Amino acid sequence: MPKITPLSRLLCLSLFFVSALNSTSAVDLTSGDRHPGTRAVFPESALYENGGPIIDVTRAPFNAKGDGVTDDTQALVKAYDVIAKDVRYENEYGKGLKNTPIPDKSYIIYLPDGEYLVSDTIIYSGEPIIWRRPSSGDLLEGINLVHFIGESREGTIIRLKDASEGFEAGSHKPVISFGKLEFNNVETNNLVENITINTGSENPGAVGIYHVGANMSTLRNLTIHSDDGAGYAGIAVIAPPTMGYHSDITIDGFENGILMTPYHVSHNSFEYISLIGQSKAAISVEDSSTSLRRIRVENCGGPAIEIVGKGGQVFAMDSDFSAASSGVSGPAISAEMGSLYVRDIRTSGYATSISAYGNRQVKEGYVEAFAYPSAHAYPYVKDALLHALNLPVKDEPPVSYPENLEDWAVVEDYIEGTEAADDPFDYSEAVQAAMNSGKPYVIFSKTGSYLITGTIDVPASVKVVNGLFSKISAKDQTLFKVSEASEKPVIFENIQVWGARPIISHEAMRPVAIRMTRGQHSMYENKNEAAGAELFLTNICNVGKDKGSIRDQKVWARFINTENGLTPQFPVVNTDFWLFGYKTEKHRSSVAAYDGSRVEVLGGVSNQYTQAKYLRDGYSPDATFLIENSQATIFACTNGPSRKDEFGFFKLLEVTKGNKTWTYDVSKAPKRHGRKGQYFIPASIVGAEE
């Protein structure tokens, strides 16, 4: 793993605004890991030996013991190799290296409660799986769709043997790894959930998780612990592009709690995180961008957050940072380069709360708002940052599994008596029968693909639709219709869809949550006649797209991704839209807000990457953010490829109010150093009134 080296100091770009109060004025913040106590148990029909995607590592042919005595390294590697075998086949025997090597089958490595002793990294065996060999010489890895789920975080423990060979100081060696190389541009969709990783003692080079995950990935409900406090990092994000939403994690010990280094379209959103006892920094950011909320730092020997690269960007809010008991002479947040925006931060034990570019300091206490470079507003208002929208934030519905296995409605159990429309088998009737069973959890339990040609009604009795990362093929129809009203949310998760337009039609007044789900076309359409329908989006690919699909409602989005060259990526109409991290590609606007919308974009990257024929004078004809007769708070950055020819977005922000228009373009914006033609979009306040 590459070591982080501080870069030369970026020149001051502009003034900053800060509002700081003493600690007695601070609001009550509930930050840190919530310890949700999730327990994941699956029906027998979903297990690998029965043709399902769940690889129980304690069963044959893997035979892990989980007794805390037997070395289970090879058993876990053998389970990982099931995933790698299909991916390697796609590379070697499929359509060649031009296509993304995503296999037809998807698996979950499942660890029942037990202590799994390991002495080496859990990673697939053999040579690295190579997807592409570009002219630059950088090898692109192809491993993807790697999922680890433990039965429970408290009961499922992966423990590294003390003084394991290869984990010496400077080795930066992971316990769980999502790759062997340092670049993976495949849509990886990786997941680790419900597990404790203990790096033991006398392993000073250990890393809990080497995390990789393009387009969407999740780390949730995890403990990463070092028995002696040593180790390089709890979570290391080294390989670009890595992005996703991660929550309810405790990292105890290590030099760095969370380490993020890549530049290329790498944005990770972290929420409800506890970081305890780091010796160097709780969160270290080089050239990545990140969104942070409800972060609790305790007993830290260095800064709670540090930006050490010119391309780094950090948004942080609603968090508590405490230094080691002896105190720290430096700041809680060190931003000597890059871009920073924080709200509602409380610090203690540090000499100062924030140091930006060495000469802009905020004294210890409660920081209401701080931005560097300075915030600006359209139309102009004094003290722009204090007029940020601060939309109310709702948590996404929690991840849940049934306590009783009988509450799973397994789609395959409802095939008998149905008629197949053609070959392959049409699962439409079986899926509808599972939905109508009265059982609250519907599960797709085989490893292959499902053909569904009809629209499936989702009644109020259904709480969760879990695809287990299966592929669903549709025929250009609406796939799922939320047809009955309820105060309780319905959750769609772990689904891959081809052909549906849209995947989910929201037709009844009921909260809808969608997470770890991707599709070719538009994910969602709101068809409620009344205003106020609630939508929760977490780790989603391809939602929005069509103007009017998100309208007259309230949306909380926690990392979303779209790559659309035809329309704005996320158009919202008369909607409250809270966006906590994103990535977009192509040349269209990342977010377009219309007709009284209120939008907050709190971190993310706009990757203008498209064919030259769509550009005008080398630039996109669209603004990165388009705000029409609406209010907004925007903080983001651009990220285009490194090319000799400069291209990207010229207009970063275009605001229209009535017959007046304001434009913020690259001639005014601070450069995001490290790649040609890339820029920071400082905190921007739209439509504020004094």
Side-chain angles (χ1 to χ4, degrees), residues 24 65 217 236 335 339 348 383 424 440 463 467 501 503 560 609 612 634 638 656 664:
T24 59
K65 299 301 182 184
S217 65
S339 176
S348 63
D383 295 338
K463 293 171 56 178
R501 297 175 185 263
I503 296 174
I560 53 179
Y609 185 25
I634 296 169
T638 66
T656 298
Y664 181 75

Side-chain angles (χ1 to χ4, degrees), residues 201-491:
S201 296
E202 300 181 68
N203 294 306
V207 173
I209 298 175
Y210 171 38
H211 179 58
V212 181
N215 282 5
M216 60 188 209
S217 65
T218 290
L219 306 173
R220 67 182 175 220
N221 196 25
L222 303 174
T223 295
I224 303 174
H225 170 80
S226 168
D227 279 345
D228 61 2
Y232 179 59
I235 297 170
V237 178
I238 304 296
T242 295
M243 56 206 78
Y245 171 75
H246 320 291
S247 62
D248 292 309
I249 300 170
T250 292
I251 300 175
D252 185 3
F254 304 94
E255 295 177 34
N256 305 279
I258 301 171
L259 179 70
M260 293 174 273
T261 67
Y263 189 114
H264 180 60
V265 287
S266 290
H267 186 95
N268 289 273
S269 299
F270 290 89
E271 192 174 26
Y272 292 108
I273 310 295
S274 293
L275 298 150
I276 304 167
Q278 282 74 52
S279 60
K280 183 179 179 292
I283 300 173
S284 182
V285 178
E286 189 170 356
D287 289 323
S288 297
S289 65
T290 188
S291 300
L292 308 171
R293 180 174 180 266
R294 300 297 195 192
I295 310 297
R296 178 174 292 277
V297 173
E298 301 177 27
N299 192 31
C300 187
I305 300 171
E306 63 174 6
I307 303 176
V308 297
K310 292 181 179 180
Q313 185 172 70
V314 172
F315 170 79
M317 68 181 291
D318 297 350
S319 298
D320 293 271
F321 303 148
S322 297
S325 57
S326 59
V328 172
S329 59
I333 301 175
S334 176
E336 302 309 316
M337 50 191 71
S339 176
L340 176 70
Y341 177 22
V342 302
R343 295 199 315 223
D344 296 328
I345 302 294
R346 180 163 48 196
T347 71
S348 63
Y350 289 96
T352 57
S353 292
I354 301 171
S355 177
Y357 294 80
N359 58 357
R360 306 278 193 255
Q361 295 192 340
V362 181
K363 297 299 182 183
E364 182 182 6
Y366 170 65
V367 180
E368 182 179 357
F370 177 98
Y372 194 95
S374 63
H376 46 85
Y378 303 92
Y380 170 81
V381 293
K382 185 179 179 182
D383 295 338
L385 205 55
L386 290 182
H387 296 269
L389 278 177
N390 282 308
L391 291 176
V393 182
K394 272 195 175 183
D395 292 335
E396 65 164 342
V399 175
S400 64
Y401 297 87
E403 295 182 7
N404 185 345
L405 287 178
E406 296 302 315
D407 285 339
W408 283 118
V410 181
V411 167
E412 280 67 29
D413 291 347
Y414 296 86
I415 291 176
E416 186 176 352
T418 66
E419 295 183 5
D422 50 25
D423 187 22
F425 184 81
D426 186 344
Y427 282 85
S428 300
E429 291 185 36
V431 174
Q432 189 62 68
M435 295 286 179
N436 295 342
S437 67
K439 296 184 177 183
Y441 295 82
V442 175
I443 189 172
F444 292 76
S445 67
K446 74 171 189 174
T447 58
S449 299
Y450 292 81
L451 173 65
I452 300 177
T453 62
T455 295
I456 307 301
D457 279 304
V458 182
S461 58
V462 173
K463 293 171 56 178
V464 175
V465 179
N466 192 332
L468 293 184
F469 301 98
S470 299
K471 287 185 177 180
I472 295 176
S473 296
K475 295 291 185 180
D476 283 342
Q477 85 279 14
T478 296
L479 182 57
F480 297 114
K481 181 171 65 174
V482 179
S483 54
E484 293 183 3
S486 174
E487 294 182 355
K488 296 181 178 180
V490 58
I491 300 167

